[in-house]
Amino acid sequence: MRFSSAAKAALVLSVLAGVACTQKDPKQSLQAAQAAIQKRDYKAATIEIKNALQRDAGLAEARFMLGTVLALEGNNTAAEVELRKALSAGHPGTKVVPELAKALLAMGQYKKIVDEFSATKLDDPAAQASLLTSLAQAHGGMGKRELAKSTMDKALAAVPDYPQALLVQAQFQAADGDRAAALTTVGKVLAADAANPVAWKLKGDLEVATGAKGGQAKASYQKSVEVDPKFAPGFAALLVLNLAEGKLDDAAKDLEALKRVAPRSSFTKLLEARVEFQRRDYKRARDLLRQLVVAAPKNAAVLQLAGATEFQLNSLPQAESYLEASLKIAPDNGLTRRLLIGTYLRSGQANKALVALQAIPEKAEMDASMLSLAGEVHLQNGDAKKAEAFFAKALKLEPDNLGRRTSLALSQLATGQANAAFDALENIAQSDQGVTADMALISAHLTRKEYAKALVAIDKLEAKQPNKPVAAELRGRTMRAMNDPVGARKSFEKALQIDPLHFSAASSLAALDLAEQKPQDARARFEAILAKEPKHAQALLALAQLASGSGGKKEEVIALLARAVDANPTDERPRLRLIDQHLRSNDLKQAMSSARDATAALPNSVDILDALGTVQMRSGEVNQAIATFTKVSTMLPLSPMPHLRLAAAHEANKDMASAEQSVQKALEIKPDLLETQRALILLQIKAKKFAEALKVAKTVQQQRPKSQVGYAYEAEVFAAQSNWDPAIAAYRKALEQAATPDLAIKLNMVLQTAGKSAEATTQAQAWMKEHPKDPNFPQFLGTVAIGKKDFASAEKHLQTVLQLQPNNAVALNNLAYVAGQLKRPNAVELAEKALRLAPDQPPFLDTLAMLLLDQKEFDKALKTQTRAVELQPDSGFLRLNLAKILAASGDKPRAKAELEKIKPSNNKDDPLQKEVTALMSSLR
């Protein structure tokens, strides 16, 4: 059938009219939404509300209803946005403010509630009671208990027996230790409303706290979801209870129920992360928590679990950032403080751990675990007597805890009570079927180099675990320490007989093979593991490392790493190693390809994105690098490192203002991070903001009064201004704090630059007399002497280095060059030894090639220098030397071709350009 144009128009109009007739006006949509809310059909309610907003985007009531529904679903971040829009659109504050306060409370934004609403007075008594109840909870969350109680009293004054306020009152009663009164208060609420799910849930919480028997708490939680099948906190409480009881399968079922009733709730995601954490799937937990940290960066519980997860993954700087942020929000949280102290200890920051420990109020009670941790803190800070006292207190609380007894024995060992300590450890080991005391005893003997006693303790450990490889491996390590490689080899082989996949033993055997110059045998160790488990990531990476360290071709190394990637596509380690290998080989194209593949496979991996940004920087794609590092900074909002990466990218883009801004952001996150402070000083020096740079250096000195680093920074600021006397004074002050070779070298350099040669000589002589076993200073002096062409002095200094460090590859290479200049017969031999110690180092290859050229061994020289250029193709000096070898061997055309590959310089005074021009002229 055909239609005329007029008929088509009429048809279209009739269709549009039909559509218009079926659309509800906004009021009808809101009525339908209200009915859906009463049925707890939040999805249908949301659709109706959004229909109303499509017709009238400024409809205040619709914004209010949408915010309320979002909060009921647990999406409090979005709820806050909509509720604030409702306020802006003129919806009554008596309705909006109480709901907004509840949404902020659910997100843990206690300070925000207090700052914004403490002075708010609402006309409606019920609304005022609701707001005051939220304020009371916020004060409680901030640790202000008395203020919280007085605010709650005001809520009950506004509406006597207000259920929500009574429930908060019950929580305070429980916190004060009067759980019986708390249960009575909850019973009062339930007597008035037996269908109050919040009251049933709180009753369960109190029953958990009082240790009620017979599953009473679980029954109360079940009741809360029976009276309200969509009561998310009830399912959450059941989940947490099952987690506490180790019932992971039941917890998983509770999680699925929670996802059905509150799929978008951040709390649901937090509990999902807790489930994954308890399953020990820390990587999955990390992925969930990183999303939560971005969405709720002020939520203390989220930050605490994120910190605990990073701790388990041994990502200690990130764990530290999360836990410090969590503790700022909730300073009285003992678990967070405990985790933070543990993080400080594991990362070697014993002093920080002590400061965090001392921040605990003196009257605060410590349980046995906290007392034991306090003992460890004092032990690592060198105060063994205090450590012993804390361990003793912990043991008094838990007299049967063998771990506490072991810790006490170790602290006694540190105080010099060796006999008592070893007796205690031996008694614990004999009376316990576990191995904690055995391991402590073995470790203590090894630390004291009491190898015979360690072997006896290992025998006893082996009797407890005859079918495990640990004792055999420990015996191997002990024998290796005793310089018994034959015995060590037998023990490691026994460990592998027990467990052929025991990587640590295979790695130890490979190290012995390499020491005996048997790289093929070392390789066979890892290939044997791969024969049994082809996807063994550690073995594949070890093979790649072995190939790289033994002079294997880069193609072989890359093939092994690619194999590791294929075998373990979701493992970051092989991908990161592959990217790094391409960067080492200066193959930026392949590095970029591998980084993009890795990003596609693991889009949420911060480390992979960081590697991509690094490749982009190296490839000159600075704007892309900025975008990548910006993304990382949003994924890790509490980490300073992405901002430091951004600063470097902005600096490469010559945007110094943005670079400094990024460093300042990093400093806001962690004000005492040395890496950030140094980056800021260097940027300010480049911008000639010397006063600001000096201020940062002084801040470092105040933060670390016993450290040399602040004075070293101060010296750098003065040196950058050629203000030599205060620079020298600052370096001397730094050396008073810590007599390190690095500072001694810097002081000597400044003295020489300032023209104080006699003082520099005196300082050098004094340093070497006081530190005769320091190889760094004579190596520095040797380098300085080479620069002055004082080869006789250089030879003397470098020989001193090699007496202290016979296998110092850099010193050997430099001495080879000096020997060549002095026409010593062993020059080539020295260069070859340096290369054996550090294969495929372009500068070392260059040294050897030029020495071979001096001896007119053109073929060997050409082969060696060609390899150097392959490894570092952008080096003009390496390519120049290759051209020199070609020219000397009579191959002028190839020499010219190599010279033409060198990027020309516009600076006529450039030494490289001068040599290139001179050599090219001689070839014509």
Side-chain angles (χ1 to χ4, degrees), residues 401-463:
N401 189 308
L402 295 174
R404 310 268 186 256
R405 288 172 61 191
T406 301
S407 296
L408 178 60
L410 290 173
S411 68
Q412 290 172 335
L413 186 64
T415 58
Q417 304 173 59
N419 292 335
F422 279 116
D423 286 345
L425 288 172
E426 287 172 358
N427 288 333
I428 298 167
Q430 287 174 6
S431 62
D432 180 25
Q433 287 305 305
V435 298
T436 303
D438 296 86
M439 297 297 288
L441 185 60
I442 293 164
S443 176
H445 282 311
L446 289 175
T447 301
R448 294 162 65 93
K449 297 184 179 180
E450 296 171 349
Y451 300 127
K453 291 180 179 180
L455 289 172
V456 171
I458 291 169
D459 289 341
K460 292 177 180 178
L461 172 65
E462 191 170 43

Side-chain angles (χ1 to χ4, degrees), residues 40 72 197-198 200-202 205 217-218 220-243 247 250-263 267-268 271-272 274-275:
R40 294 187 176 86
L72 288 168
V198 178
W200 281 113
K201 191 260 179 185
L202 180 54
D205 292 343
K218 188 166 285 189
S220 295
Y221 291 148
Q222 290 285 6
K223 188 69 175 176
S224 75
V225 297
E226 284 174 16
V227 298
D228 183 356
K230 294 194 174 182
F231 183 57
F235 288 111
L238 282 167
L239 190 159
V240 171
L241 185 60
N242 282 319
L243 282 178
K247 298 176 180 177
D250 289 344
K253 291 176 185 176
D254 296 329
L255 179 61
E256 291 308 311
L258 189 59
K259 284 182 176 180
R260 284 195 296 273
V261 298
F267 191 64
T268 300
L271 286 175
E272 185 178 2
R274 277 196 64 178
V275 170

Side-chain angles (χ1 to χ4, degrees), residues 505-765:
S507 181
S508 295
L509 281 168
L512 290 172
D513 293 331
L514 290 173
E516 295 175 8
Q517 304 294 317
K518 296 177 180 178
Q520 290 304 317
D521 288 356
R523 183 186 183 96
R525 305 290 178 189
F526 304 122
E527 288 174 341
I529 291 177
L530 290 169
K532 294 182 182 298
E533 191 177 315
K535 294 185 178 183
H536 198 290
Q538 283 180 294
L540 286 165
L541 293 177
L543 273 177
Q545 182 66 35
L546 188 60
S548 176
S550 59
K553 292 184 177 180
K554 67 176 183 179
E555 293 80 11
E556 180 189 1
V557 177
I558 288 168
L560 285 165
L561 291 172
R563 182 179 159 192
V565 169
D566 291 341
N568 304 274
T570 60
D571 189 343
E572 295 175 345
R573 293 173 300 167
R575 291 186 181 277
L576 291 169
R577 287 277 297 275
L578 181 59
I579 295 166
D580 182 63
Q581 182 62 38
H582 286 311
L583 286 176
R584 286 169 178 265
S585 303
N586 208 36
D587 192 340
L588 297 178
K589 184 178 179 180
Q590 285 301 316
M592 183 67 76
S593 176
S594 295
R596 285 175 176 159
D597 287 347
T599 306
L602 299 165
N604 295 320
S605 168
V606 172
D607 291 332
I608 293 293
L609 283 170
D610 184 68
L612 173 63
T614 301
V615 175
Q616 289 167 333
M617 282 280 287
R618 286 275 299 270
S619 302
E621 297 180 5
V622 180
N623 289 328
Q624 291 90 328
I626 289 171
T628 300
F629 291 136
T630 300
K631 183 177 180 181
V632 175
S633 71
T634 60
M635 294 172 73
L636 297 176
L638 297 178
S639 173
M641 299 314 297
H643 295 290
L644 288 176
R645 298 275 199 276
L646 267 172
H650 285 307
E651 187 177 358
N653 215 23
K654 301 190 186 306
D655 184 354
M656 304 306 288
S658 294
E660 186 168 342
Q661 187 178 17
S662 291
V663 174
Q664 292 285 11
K665 284 181 181 177
L667 209 57
E668 287 172 15
I669 294 169
K670 199 161 181 61
D672 62 346
L673 185 64
L674 279 175
E675 190 172 352
T676 307
Q677 291 168 316
R678 176 156 178 74
L680 182 57
I681 287 172
L682 292 175
L683 283 171
Q684 289 170 335
I685 287 174
K686 286 183 181 179
K688 299 190 183 304
K689 297 179 180 179
F690 299 118
E692 288 93 330
L694 194 58
K695 186 177 179 181
V696 177
K698 294 292 186 184
T699 300
V700 175
Q701 292 171 16
Q702 291 168 2
Q703 290 171 341
R704 296 171 173 80
K706 295 182 180 180
S707 171
Q708 79 282 9
V709 67
Y711 299 102
Y713 288 171
E714 180 184 353
E716 287 184 40
V717 177
F718 284 125
Q721 303 171 73
S722 300
N723 200 350
W724 304 119
D725 286 342
I728 291 166
Y731 273 131
R732 291 195 186 282
K733 184 70 174 177
L735 277 164
E736 288 175 12
Q737 302 295 324
T740 67
D742 178 59
L743 288 172
I745 288 168
K746 287 179 178 179
L747 173 59
N748 194 273
M749 290 172 68
V750 170
L751 287 168
Q752 291 190 50
T753 307
K756 300 185 178 186
S757 301
E759 198 172 339
T761 301
T762 301
Q763 182 255 347
Q765 290 171 345

Side-chain angles (χ1 to χ4, degrees), residues 38 229 281 284 301 404 728 745 751 786 801 806 838 883 918:
Q38 289 175 354
D281 189 348
R284 171 65 180 151
R404 310 268 186 256
I728 291 166
I745 288 168
L751 287 168
I786 290 173
V801 175

